[in-house]
Amino acid sequence: MALNNKLDCTNCQTLGLSVFCTLTREEVEQLNNYKSSFHVKKGQLIFYEESEPPGLYCVHRGKVKVFKTTNEGNIQILRLAKDGDIIGYRSLLAGEQYRAAAEAIEDSQICLIPKHYIFELLNKNIHLSLKIMENFARELKTAEKKNVDLLHKTSKERLAESLLLLRDTFGVNERGFINVVLNREDIANITGMATETVVRCLREWNEVGVIDLDKKLIKITNTKQLLDIANLKD
């Protein structure tokens, strides 16, 4: 990771998207003094499983996957993070080593707020504490739903729902394609499917006009039909 201290929190447009939107002007200025920023290239790890949290990471710009390696050596993607999202905070607050790793899935800029200052902020800013609690509650709800879906939904239903969620999370580019580049293995690791099954389903849906494929990019061309496949209501 290449150090980059040019990012200024006081002029940061991403700040309003993050849990730090609750900070006062004075707290933002202090945050700017304490934080460090890094440029992370696509494929680079931000933190490792079983390493000690040095502080709280915030995605200033870019996209990151948080994943865990199973005992069998398989990858399970736990969540995807975008501009303004915080990562690695649960292990930090629990005072334990990271239980997952984080990797940039595109060139990204990451900010790191050191541990001592985060705890100082949490002690004096109840609104920040509540925001982080809300963040944790949302992630827990998503994780619980994912576990239920693995038990009760078919692989096609999970894949269709995941594509809709990716579009809702990252939006679309000027051509209408979901604004995140994931290979088929990454999609399989999100949905708990075999890569071959993902490839086959995407090809089938492309042929019947539910989606449009352009290499790793995916466009949802028939939302209603994909909702039907996902067994979701519009």
Side-chain angles (χ1 to χ4, degrees):
M1 292 187 288
L3 186 64
N4 177 11
N5 280 321
K6 293 182 180 179
L7 296 180
D8 187 347
C9 296
T10 60
N11 297 319
C12 178
Q13 295 181 345
T14 307
L15 195 72
L17 304 173
S18 74
V19 295
F20 300 109
C21 65
T22 62
L23 300 189
T24 65
R25 179 73 180 183
E26 180 183 354
E27 287 170 339
V28 171
E29 290 173 353
Q30 290 176 348
L31 178 68
N32 192 51
N33 291 332
Y34 281 112
K35 74 101 175 61
S36 55
S37 304
F38 302 88
H39 179 74
V40 186
K41 292 183 179 180
K42 177 181 177 180
Q44 273 191 303
L45 285 174
I46 298 163
F47 56 79
Y48 304 79
E49 289 184 63
E50 299 183 357
S51 61
E52 295 289 339
L56 184 145
Y57 289 97
C58 182
V59 181
H60 173 72
R61 185 173 294 110
K63 298 180 181 69
V64 173
K65 66 179 180 183
V66 179
F67 66 95
K68 189 171 182 62
T69 306
T70 66
N71 293 332
E72 295 76 26
N74 298 319
I75 298 296
Q76 180 185 10
I77 295 180
L78 305 177
R79 60 179 291 235
L80 296 171
K82 62 184 186 307
D83 297 2
D85 287 346
I86 55 174
I87 55 176
Y89 67 96
R90 283 179 290 178
S91 295
L92 173 68
L93 298 179
E96 59 187 21
Q97 295 177 326
Y98 288 124
R99 295 185 178 183
E103 177 186 314
I105 57 177
E106 67 178 34
D107 288 356
S108 304
Q109 285 188 304
I110 309 295
C111 294
L112 172 63
I113 301 93
K115 183 188 300 186
H116 73 89
Y117 185 62
I118 279 297
F119 285 116
E120 181 182 327
L121 274 176
L122 291 173
N123 282 329
K124 66 182 182 181
N125 189 321
I126 185 64
H127 299 294
L128 175 62
S129 300
L130 290 173
K131 278 289 184 183
I132 290 181
M133 288 172 61
E134 289 173 11
N135 214 71
F136 177 73
R138 282 195 300 270
E139 286 187 24
L140 184 60
K141 180 181 178 181
T142 301
E144 288 175 344
K145 185 181 185 308
K146 188 174 182 179
N147 288 334
V148 171
D149 286 350
L150 284 172
L151 291 174
H152 299 290
K153 284 202 166 192
T154 67
S155 57
K156 282 190 174 183
E157 287 173 337
R158 297 199 305 273
L159 178 57
E161 186 173 352
S162 294
L163 294 183
L164 291 163
L165 181 60
L166 287 172
R167 185 184 65 181
D168 291 344
T169 301
F170 296 105
V172 297
N173 63 20
E174 65 280 357
R175 297 172 56 211
F177 287 87
I178 298 173
N179 196 28
V180 61
V181 179
L182 295 170
N183 58 40
R184 302 301 183 250
E185 186 177 2
D186 279 336
I187 297 174
N189 292 335
I190 292 171
T191 56
M193 299 168 62
T195 304
E196 296 77 11
T197 306
V198 170
V199 171
R200 184 173 63 253
C201 287
L202 293 180
R203 187 189 311 120
E204 289 175 359
W205 295 347
N206 180 60
E207 289 172 354
V208 297
V210 177
I211 62 172
D212 186 18
L213 300 176
D214 183 3
K215 297 179 181 178
K216 294 179 182 179
L217 294 175
I218 301 172
K219 178 196 292 185
I220 298 174
T221 52
N222 192 326
T223 298
K224 185 179 184 308
Q225 194 169 348
L226 199 61
L227 283 165
D228 289 341
I229 294 171
N231 197 19
L232 296 171
K233 294 182 179 180
D234 194 351

